[in-house]
Amino acid sequence: MVRRLRIGIDTGGTFTDVVALDGDGTLVTTKTPSTPADPAEGFADGVAKILRLTGAGPRDVAALSHGTTVATNRLLEDRIDDLGFVTTEGFASILEIARQSVPDGYGNSYFWVKPPRIVPAHRVRAVGGRLDHTGAELRPFDEESAVAAARWFRDQGVLAIGVCFLHSYADPSHELAMRDVLAREHPDAVVSLSCEVLREYREYERSVTTLVDAAVKPAMNGYLARIAERVASRLLVMKSNGGVLSADEVARQPITTVLSGPAAGALGAAFVVARSGHGSVVTLDGGGTSTDVAVVLDGEPTLTTEGSIGRHPVKIPMIDIVTVGAGGGSVAWRSPEGALKVGPRSAGADPGPLCYGRGGAEATVTDAHAVLGRIPPHLLGGEVPLDVDAARRGLEALAGDLGLPVERAAAGILEISAWNQANAIRQITVKRGLDVRDYPLVAFGGSGPLLACRLLDVLALPAAVVPENPGNLSAFGLLTVDVKNDYVRTRVVRDAELDPALLAGVYADLEAEAAEALAREGFPEDRRRFARSADLRYYGQAFEVRVAAPAGPPDQGLRAEVVRRFHDAHEALYGYCYRDDPRHPVEWVNLRVSGIGPIERPRPTERPPGDGDPSRARTGTRTVYFDAWEEAAVYRREKLAPGDTVEGPAVIEEFGSTLPLHPGFTATLDGHGNLVVTR
């Protein structure tokens, strides 16, 4: 009998996490080492391992859902080669001018040096033709200069090209004509058009987003092709907006995957803790290379279009995530001034921390945990034995340079790492107008729970929730998300002058585009959902606030409801609004539609309570350093039952992660398998 196995695979910098969900609801999890030289190899290894564990064959796999860092890493590492840019005549310097801004203001940036542009000036070509902001043609498309530009790129061997003409969000005809010229004159080129990547105003952000799409397209398409060679199942790829898309569709728009892996973790956390009554939480996904934090409000991760990857602004819908280089593999080092520093450089998967015994030469956060006894002398249930002596020798050398005992140096490494994570959490909460003390922390990922107790102290959080199988939650999150595509049109008009017929026409066009994409994904008409939203601002403001638009006919009632929601959202965000104040009229800027194809989600079952005695899960004791060396009880998490409470000092171990429970803290297992940590 053929089974229906759905597999989620999240490729991180150190480990590739794999989760398989069988048709009967059985969940199986595992991990394999990542293969940075060719991530497709680690992906295939993960599929092969999970099939062995489940006793299934390739024909039993109904779908593979994948979170990937291929696009993200290419941008973070600035591996952007031979990229070309075509823009409107007279606007060749748009990338050089950018936003004329410097970090921290001009007074604090005397020594700031402008970073290199994503496309150097000599690889920018301008083409004649001009549209106005309504899409009306002021000058016709100049095919002669377009041909000259295409031939120049061909002769120079530039194979990835972004095209962004002025006001093409209003009418894409000139960009489509440029693509025809490139296809004829330079057929080997990979081309991205701004009218397809981001049909929204603001020329600089639209230009850079289009160029980022062109830059990652060859690498992403090559990666997906290598996966297709190794695995013959239908592949869905996680997008930054919290949805998935088929590999064929992602090949058309790889820019949408730039925060693929972190988005899956935030969604998985939201899905898991919602069952326990936690609608709004802060999520912390601790990996080997970095830590990603996000906020979930009323069950939904917050979204933004004002993100960036490395130094490149990327104006696409994405889950609002802050990433810091504070993972298990983050390297500890002594600065020239003699201070202890941690990260952002990581030992990664190869060679990895000193305790991995693979030739690592520098102490890491994982080494500090190992030396202090906070993690067991092996990972993944014994699959990865740790050389604690090697970690201690490395830390002794660093501690000698710092003039500290080895325990103080190791504890200092963990303290710095905790504060790095705390600062990221503050950035996603306090800087967004949220009181961090109102939100429980959901700690997951291989290293996420390791510093949970310290973060409760630093941030005065009410509790930390550690889900079941926290090391694989991002991979599990891939099985909880729908197919989703976003579409946008810029229509700048004051609310008093807005014709409901304009709303109806634009929303109808966007929903038609979304329906066409969902049809390509195999969703029949009765399984397609559409979510409307709009970006509004007060006239004279530079940026907008996005609010949901209700379903139903786009009439005066819908218009009034959206404006009411905008006033409410503006007041919630900034503490004031101009409701009923004619001196500050409301202006509509962008109209948006998300096309959603729902998938079947896992159906977890509630576990029966135990007898309240955690001793059945106790496996012994281990000497652990918190503020001093002390005996800590060691527990196996899978043997704990709902209602069991463990008191610190203790260490709770499981296959993919470990929770060190500091003195003065308790951890209680709830009915859904979550460990709830409180003071």
Side-chain angles (χ1 to χ4, degrees), residues 255-337:
I255 182 66
T256 61
T257 70
V258 291
L259 284 178
S260 176
L267 286 158
F271 178 83
V272 167
V273 300
R275 296 176 293 132
S276 302
H278 300 291
S280 298
V281 295
V282 174
T283 70
L284 183 142
D285 182 359
T289 304
S290 61
T291 294
D292 307 305
V293 297
V295 173
V296 175
L297 298 178
D298 298 323
E300 296 290 336
T302 55
L303 294 172
T304 183
T305 57
E306 304 298 328
S308 61
I309 305 297
R311 59 185 177 86
H312 308 298
V314 178
K315 196 172 172 60
I316 60 168
M318 61 178 70
I319 291 177
D320 195 2
I321 292 171
V322 171
T323 300
V324 291
S330 296
V331 171
W333 51 285
R334 178 183 180 275
S335 73
E337 298 79 22

Coordinates of all heavy atoms in Angstrom, one line a residue, residues 255-337:
I255 N 13.5 35.7 -5.4 CA 13.6 36.8 -4.3 C 12.7 36.5 -3.2 O 13.0 36.9 -2.0 CB 13.3 38.1 -4.9 CG1 13.5 39.3 -3.9 CG2 11.9 38.2 -5.5 CD1 14.9 39.5 -3.5
T256 N 11.6 35.8 -3.4 CA 10.6 35.5 -2.4 C 11.1 34.5 -1.3 O 10.4 34.3 -0.3 CB 9.3 35.0 -3.0 OG1 9.6 33.8 -3.7 CG2 8.7 36.0 -3.9
T257 N 12.3 33.9 -1.5 CA 12.8 32.9 -0.6 C 13.9 33.4 0.3 O 14.5 32.6 1.1 CB 13.3 31.7 -1.3 OG1 14.5 32.0 -2.0 CG2 12.3 31.1 -2.3
V258 N 14.1 34.7 0.4 CA 15.3 35.2 1.0 C 15.3 35.0 2.5 O 16.4 34.9 3.2 CB 15.6 36.7 0.7 CG1 16.0 36.9 -0.7 CG2 14.4 37.6 1.1
L259 N 14.2 34.9 3.2 CA 14.1 34.5 4.6 C 13.3 33.2 4.8 O 12.5 33.1 5.7 CB 13.5 35.6 5.4 CG 14.4 36.9 5.7 CD1 13.6 37.9 6.4 CD2 15.7 36.5 6.4
S260 N 13.6 32.3 3.9 CA 12.8 31.0 3.9 C 12.9 30.2 5.2 O 11.8 29.9 5.7 CB 13.4 30.2 2.7 OG 12.7 28.9 2.6
G261 N 14.1 29.9 5.6 CA 14.2 29.1 6.8 C 13.7 29.7 8.1 O 12.8 29.2 8.8
P262 N 14.1 31.0 8.4 CA 13.6 31.6 9.6 C 12.1 31.8 9.6 O 11.4 31.7 10.7 CB 14.3 33.0 9.6 CG 15.5 32.8 8.8 CD 15.2 31.7 7.8
A263 N 11.5 32.0 8.5 CA 10.0 32.2 8.4 C 9.3 30.9 8.9 O 8.3 30.9 9.6 CB 9.6 32.5 7.0
A264 N 9.8 29.7 8.5 CA 9.2 28.5 8.8 C 9.2 28.3 10.4 O 8.3 27.8 11.0 CB 9.9 27.3 8.1
G265 N 10.3 28.7 11.0 CA 10.4 28.5 12.4 C 9.4 29.4 13.2 O 8.7 28.9 14.1
A266 N 9.2 30.6 12.8 CA 8.2 31.5 13.4 C 6.8 30.9 13.2 O 6.0 31.0 14.2 CB 8.3 32.9 12.8
L267 N 6.5 30.4 12.0 CA 5.2 29.8 11.8 C 5.0 28.6 12.6 O 3.9 28.3 13.1 CB 5.0 29.6 10.3 CG 4.8 30.9 9.5 CD1 5.1 30.6 8.0 CD2 3.4 31.3 9.6
G268 N 6.0 27.7 12.7 CA 5.9 26.5 13.4 C 5.6 26.8 14.9 O 4.8 26.2 15.6
A269 N 6.4 27.8 15.4 CA 6.2 28.2 16.8 C 4.8 28.7 17.1 O 4.1 28.4 18.1 CB 7.2 29.2 17.2
A270 N 4.3 29.5 16.2 CA 2.9 30.1 16.3 C 1.9 29.0 16.3 O 0.9 29.0 17.1 CB 2.6 31.1 15.2
F271 N 2.1 28.0 15.5 CA 1.1 26.9 15.4 C 1.1 26.0 16.6 O 0.1 25.6 17.2 CB 1.5 26.0 14.2 CG 0.6 24.8 14.0 CD1 -0.6 24.9 13.3 CD2 1.0 23.5 14.4 CE1 -1.4 23.8 13.1 CE2 0.2 22.4 14.3 CZ -1.0 22.5 13.6
V272 N 2.3 25.7 17.2 CA 2.4 24.8 18.3 C 1.9 25.5 19.6 O 1.1 24.8 20.3 CB 3.9 24.4 18.5 CG1 4.1 23.7 19.8 CG2 4.3 23.4 17.3
V273 N 2.3 26.7 19.8 CA 1.9 27.3 21.1 C 0.5 27.8 21.2 O 0.0 28.0 22.2 CB 2.9 28.4 21.6 CG1 4.3 27.9 21.7 CG2 2.9 29.6 20.6
A274 N -0.1 28.0 20.0 CA -1.5 28.5 20.0 C -2.4 27.5 20.7 O -3.4 27.8 21.3 CB -1.9 28.7 18.5
R275 N -2.1 26.2 20.6 CA -2.9 25.1 21.2 C -2.8 25.2 22.7 O -3.7 24.7 23.4 CB -2.4 23.7 20.8 CG -2.6 23.5 19.3 CD -2.0 22.1 18.9 NE -0.6 22.1 19.0 CZ 0.1 21.1 19.6 NH1 -0.5 20.1 20.2 NH2 1.4 21.2 19.7
S276 N -1.8 25.8 23.2 CA -1.6 26.0 24.7 C -2.2 27.3 25.2 O -1.9 27.7 26.4 CB -0.1 25.8 25.1 OG 0.4 24.6 24.6
G277 N -2.8 28.1 24.3 CA -3.4 29.3 24.8 C -2.5 30.5 24.7 O -2.8 31.6 25.2
H278 N -1.3 30.4 24.0 CA -0.4 31.5 23.8 C -0.6 32.1 22.4 O 0.0 31.7 21.5 CB 1.0 31.0 24.0 CG 1.3 30.4 25.4 ND1 1.3 31.2 26.5 CD2 1.6 29.1 25.7 CE1 1.6 30.4 27.6 NE2 1.8 29.1 27.1
G279 N -1.4 33.1 22.3 CA -1.7 33.7 21.0 C -0.6 34.6 20.6 O -0.3 34.8 19.4
S280 N 0.0 35.4 21.6 CA 1.0 36.4 21.2 C 2.3 36.0 22.0 O 2.3 35.9 23.2 CB 0.6 37.8 21.6 OG -0.6 38.1 20.9
V281 N 3.4 35.8 21.3 CA 4.7 35.4 21.9 C 5.8 36.0 21.1 O 5.7 36.5 20.0 CB 4.8 33.8 21.8 CG1 3.8 33.2 22.7 CG2 4.7 33.3 20.4
V282 N 7.0 35.9 21.7 CA 8.3 36.2 21.0 C 8.9 34.9 20.7 O 9.0 34.0 21.6 CB 9.2 37.1 21.9 CG1 10.6 37.2 21.2 CG2 8.6 38.4 22.2
T283 N 9.3 34.7 19.4 CA 10.0 33.4 19.1 C 11.5 33.6 18.9 O 11.9 34.6 18.5 CB 9.4 32.9 17.7 OG1 9.8 33.7 16.6 CG2 7.9 32.8 17.8
L284 N 12.2 32.6 19.4 CA 13.7 32.6 19.3 C 14.1 31.3 18.7 O 14.0 30.3 19.4 CB 14.3 32.9 20.7 CG 15.8 33.0 20.7 CD1 16.2 34.1 21.7 CD2 16.4 31.7 21.1
D285 N 14.7 31.4 17.5 CA 15.1 30.2 16.8 C 16.7 30.2 16.8 O 17.3 30.9 16.1 CB 14.6 30.2 15.4 CG 15.0 29.0 14.5 OD1 15.7 28.1 15.1 OD2 14.6 28.9 13.4
G286 N 17.2 29.4 17.8 CA 18.7 29.3 17.9 C 19.3 28.2 17.1 O 19.0 27.0 17.4
G287 N 20.1 28.5 16.2 CA 20.8 27.5 15.4 C 22.3 27.5 15.6 O 22.8 28.0 16.6
G288 N 23.0 26.8 14.7 CA 24.4 26.7 14.9 C 25.2 28.0 14.4 O 26.2 28.3 14.9
T289 N 24.6 28.7 13.5 CA 25.3 29.8 12.9 C 24.7 31.2 13.4 O 25.4 32.1 13.6 CB 25.1 29.8 11.3 OG1 25.7 28.5 10.9 CG2 25.9 30.9 10.7
S290 N 23.4 31.2 13.6 CA 22.7 32.5 14.0 C 21.5 32.2 14.8 O 21.1 31.1 15.0 CB 22.3 33.3 12.7 OG 21.4 32.5 11.9
T291 N 20.9 33.3 15.3 CA 19.6 33.2 16.0 C 18.7 34.2 15.4 O 19.0 35.3 15.1 CB 19.9 33.6 17.5 OG1 20.7 32.6 18.1 CG2 18.5 33.7 18.3
D292 N 17.4 33.7 15.1 CA 16.4 34.5 14.5 C 15.3 34.7 15.5 O 14.8 33.8 16.1 CB 15.8 33.8 13.3 CG 16.9 33.4 12.3 OD1 17.7 34.3 11.9 OD2 17.0 32.2 12.0
V293 N 14.9 36.0 15.6 CA 13.8 36.3 16.6 C 12.6 37.0 15.8 O 12.9 37.7 14.8 CB 14.2 37.2 17.7 CG1 15.2 36.4 18.6 CG2 14.8 38.5 17.3
A294 N 11.4 36.7 16.2 CA 10.2 37.3 15.6 C 9.1 37.5 16.7 O 9.3 37.0 17.8 CB 9.7 36.4 14.4
V295 N 8.1 38.2 16.3 CA 6.9 38.4 17.2 C 5.7 37.8 16.5 O 5.5 38.0 15.3 CB 6.7 39.9 17.5 CG1 5.4 40.1 18.3 CG2 7.9 40.4 18.3
V296 N 4.9 37.0 17.3 CA 3.6 36.5 16.9 C 2.6 37.2 17.7 O 2.6 37.2 18.9 CB 3.6 35.0 17.1 CG1 2.2 34.5 16.8 CG2 4.6 34.2 16.3
L297 N 1.6 37.9 17.0 CA 0.5 38.6 17.6 C -0.8 37.9 17.2 O -1.1 37.8 16.0 CB 0.5 40.1 17.2 CG 1.8 40.9 17.6 CD1 1.6 42.3 17.0 CD2 2.0 40.9 19.1
D298 N -1.5 37.5 18.2 CA -2.8 36.8 17.9 C -2.7 35.7 17.0 O -3.5 35.5 16.0 CB -3.9 37.9 17.5 CG -4.1 38.9 18.5 OD1 -4.1 38.6 19.7 OD2 -4.3 40.1 18.1
G299 N -1.6 34.9 17.1 CA -1.5 33.7 16.3 C -0.8 33.9 15.0 O -0.5 32.9 14.2
E300 N -0.5 35.2 14.6 CA 0.1 35.4 13.3 C 1.4 36.2 13.4 O 1.5 37.2 14.1 CB -0.8 36.2 12.4 CG -2.1 35.5 12.0 CD -1.9 34.4 11.0 OE1 -0.9 34.4 10.3 OE2 -2.8 33.5 11.0
P301 N 2.5 35.7 12.8 CA 3.8 36.5 12.8 C 3.6 37.8 12.1 O 2.8 37.9 11.1 CB 4.7 35.6 12.0 CG 4.2 34.2 12.1 CD 2.7 34.4 12.1
T302 N 4.2 38.8 12.7 CA 4.1 40.2 12.1 C 4.9 40.2 10.7 O 5.9 39.5 10.6 CB 4.7 41.2 13.0 OG1 6.0 40.9 13.4 CG2 3.8 41.3 14.3
L303 N 4.3 41.0 9.8 CA 4.9 41.1 8.4 C 5.4 42.5 8.2 O 5.0 43.4 8.8 CB 3.8 40.8 7.4 CG 3.3 39.3 7.3 CD1 2.1 39.3 6.3 CD2 4.4 38.4 6.9
T304 N 6.4 42.6 7.3 CA 6.9 43.8 6.9 C 7.3 43.8 5.4 O 7.5 42.7 4.9 CB 8.2 44.2 7.7 OG1 8.7 45.5 7.4 CG2 9.3 43.2 7.5
T305 N 7.4 45.0 4.8 CA 8.0 45.1 3.5 C 9.2 46.0 3.5 O 9.7 46.4 2.5 CB 7.0 45.6 2.4 OG1 6.5 46.9 2.9 CG2 5.8 44.7 2.2
E306 N 9.7 46.3 4.7 CA 10.8 47.2 4.9 C 12.1 46.5 5.3 O 12.9 46.9 6.1 CB 10.5 48.3 5.9 CG 9.3 49.1 5.5 CD 9.4 49.9 4.2 OE1 10.5 50.3 3.9 OE2 8.4 50.0 3.5
G307 N 12.3 45.3 4.8 CA 13.4 44.4 5.3 C 14.6 44.7 4.5 O 14.7 45.4 3.5
S308 N 15.7 44.0 4.9 CA 16.9 44.0 4.1 C 17.7 42.7 4.4 O 17.5 42.1 5.4 CB 17.8 45.2 4.6 OG 18.1 45.1 5.9
I309 N 18.5 42.3 3.5 CA 19.4 41.2 3.6 C 20.8 41.7 3.4 O 21.2 42.1 2.3 CB 19.0 40.1 2.6 CG1 17.6 39.7 2.6 CG2 19.9 38.9 2.8 CD1 17.1 39.1 3.9
G310 N 21.6 41.6 4.5 CA 22.9 42.2 4.4 C 22.7 43.7 4.2 O 22.0 44.4 4.9
R311 N 23.4 44.3 3.2 CA 23.3 45.7 3.0 C 22.3 46.1 1.9 O 22.2 47.2 1.4 CB 24.7 46.2 2.6 CG 25.3 45.6 1.4 CD 26.7 46.1 1.1 NE 27.4 45.4 0.0 CZ 27.2 45.8 -1.3 NH1 26.5 46.9 -1.6 NH2 27.9 45.2 -2.2
H312 N 21.5 45.1 1.5 CA 20.6 45.3 0.3 C 19.1 45.4 0.8 O 18.6 44.5 1.4 CB 20.7 44.2 -0.7 CG 22.1 43.9 -1.1 ND1 22.9 44.8 -1.8 CD2 22.9 42.8 -0.9 CE1 24.1 44.3 -2.0 NE2 24.1 43.1 -1.5
P313 N 18.5 46.6 0.6 CA 17.0 46.7 0.9 C 16.2 45.8 0.0 O 16.4 45.8 -1.2 CB 16.7 48.1 0.7 CG 17.8 48.6 -0.2 CD 19.0 47.8 0.0
V314 N 15.3 45.0 0.6 CA 14.5 44.0 -0.1 C 13.1 44.3 0.2 O 12.6 44.0 1.3 CB 14.9 42.6 0.2 CG1 14.0 41.6 -0.6 CG2 16.3 42.3 -0.2
K315 N 12.3 44.9 -0.7 CA 11.0 45.4 -0.4 C 9.9 44.4 -0.9 O 9.2 44.6 -1.8 CB 10.7 46.8 -1.1 CG 9.5 47.5 -0.5 CD 9.5 48.9 -1.1 CE 8.2 49.6 -0.7 NZ 8.0 49.7 0.8
I316 N 9.9 43.2 -0.2 CA 8.9 42.2 -0.5 C 8.2 41.9 0.8 O 8.8 42.0 1.9 CB 9.5 41.0 -1.2 CG1 10.6 40.3 -0.2 CG2 10.1 41.3 -2.5 CD1 11.0 39.0 -0.6
P317 N 7.0 41.3 0.7 CA 6.4 40.9 2.0 C 7.2 39.8 2.6 O 7.5 38.8 2.0 CB 5.0 40.4 1.5 CG 4.8 41.1 0.2 CD 6.1 41.2 -0.4
M318 N 7.5 40.0 3.9 CA 8.3 39.0 4.6 C 7.9 39.0 6.1 O 7.5 40.1 6.6 CB 9.8 39.2 4.5 CG 10.3 40.5 4.9 SD 12.1 40.7 4.8 CE 12.3 40.8 3.0
I319 N 8.0 37.9 6.8 CA 7.9 37.9 8.2 C 8.9 38.8 8.8 O 10.1 38.7 8.5 CB 7.9 36.5 8.7 CG1 6.6 35.7 8.3 CG2 8.0 36.4 10.3 CD1 6.6 34.2 8.7
D320 N 8.5 39.6 9.8 CA 9.5 40.6 10.4 C 10.4 39.8 11.3 O 10.0 39.5 12.5 CB 8.6 41.6 11.2 CG 9.5 42.8 11.5 OD1 10.7 42.9 11.2 OD2 8.9 43.8 12.2
I321 N 11.6 39.6 10.9 CA 12.6 38.8 11.6 C 13.9 39.6 11.8 O 14.3 40.2 10.9 CB 12.9 37.5 10.9 CG1 11.6 36.6 10.9 CG2 14.1 36.7 11.5 CD1 11.7 35.4 10.0
V322 N 14.4 39.5 13.0 CA 15.8 40.0 13.3 C 16.7 38.9 13.5 O 16.5 38.0 14.3 CB 15.7 41.0 14.5 CG1 17.2 41.4 14.9 CG2 14.9 42.2 14.2
T323 N 17.8 38.9 12.8 CA 18.8 37.8 12.9 C 20.1 38.4 13.4 O 20.6 39.5 13.0 CB 19.1 37.3 11.4 OG1 17.9 36.7 10.9 CG2 20.2 36.2 11.5
V324 N 20.7 37.6 14.4 CA 22.0 38.0 14.9 C 22.9 36.8 14.9 O 22.5 35.7 14.9 CB 21.9 38.5 16.4 CG1 21.2 39.8 16.5 CG2 21.2 37.5 17.3
G325 N 24.2 37.1 14.8 CA 25.2 36.0 14.7 C 25.5 35.5 16.1 O 26.6 35.7 16.6
A326 N 24.6 34.8 16.7 CA 24.7 34.3 18.1 C 24.2 32.9 18.1 O 23.2 32.7 18.8 CB 24.0 35.2 19.0
G327 N 24.8 32.0 17.4 CA 24.4 30.6 17.4 C 25.4 29.8 18.2 O 26.4 30.3 18.7
G328 N 25.1 28.5 18.1 CA 26.0 27.6 18.9 C 27.4 27.5 18.3 O 28.4 27.3 19.0
G329 N 27.6 27.8 17.0 CA 28.9 27.8 16.4 C 29.6 29.1 16.4 O 30.7 29.3 15.8
S330 N 29.0 30.2 17.0 CA 29.6 31.5 17.0 C 31.0 31.5 17.8 O 31.1 30.9 18.8 CB 28.7 32.5 17.7 OG 27.5 32.7 17.0
V331 N 32.0 32.1 17.1 CA 33.3 32.0 17.6 C 33.6 33.0 18.7 O 33.2 34.2 18.6 CB 34.3 32.2 16.5 CG1 35.7 32.3 17.0 CG2 34.2 31.0 15.5
A332 N 34.2 32.6 19.8 CA 34.6 33.5 20.9 C 36.1 34.0 20.6 O 36.9 33.2 20.2 CB 34.6 32.9 22.2
W333 N 36.3 35.3 20.8 CA 37.7 35.8 20.4 C 38.0 37.0 21.3 O 37.1 37.6 21.9 CB 37.7 36.2 18.9 CG 36.6 37.1 18.4 CD1 35.3 36.7 18.2 CD2 36.7 38.5 18.1 NE1 34.6 37.8 17.8 CE2 35.4 38.9 17.7 CE3 37.7 39.4 18.2 CZ2 35.1 40.2 17.3 CZ3 37.4 40.7 17.8 CH2 36.1 41.1 17.4
R334 N 39.3 37.3 21.3 CA 39.8 38.5 22.1 C 40.0 39.6 21.2 O 40.7 39.5 20.2 CB 41.1 38.1 22.8 CG 41.7 39.2 23.7 CD 43.0 38.7 24.3 NE 43.7 39.7 25.1 CZ 44.5 40.6 24.6 NH1 44.8 40.7 23.3 NH2 45.1 41.5 25.4
S335 N 39.4 40.8 21.5 CA 39.6 41.9 20.6 C 41.0 42.5 20.9 O 41.6 42.2 21.8 CB 38.5 43.0 21.0 OG 38.8 43.6 22.2
P336 N 41.4 43.4 19.9 CA 42.7 44.1 20.2 C 42.8 44.9 21.5 O 43.9 45.0 22.0 CB 42.8 45.0 18.9 CG 42.0 44.4 17.9 CD 40.9 43.7 18.6
E337 N 41.6 45.3 22.0 CA 41.6 46.0 23.2 C 41.6 45.1 24.4 O 41.7 45.6 25.6 CB 40.4 46.9 23.3 CG 40.3 48.0 22.2 CD 39.8 47.4 20.9 OE1 39.1 46.4 20.9 OE2 40.1 48.0 19.9

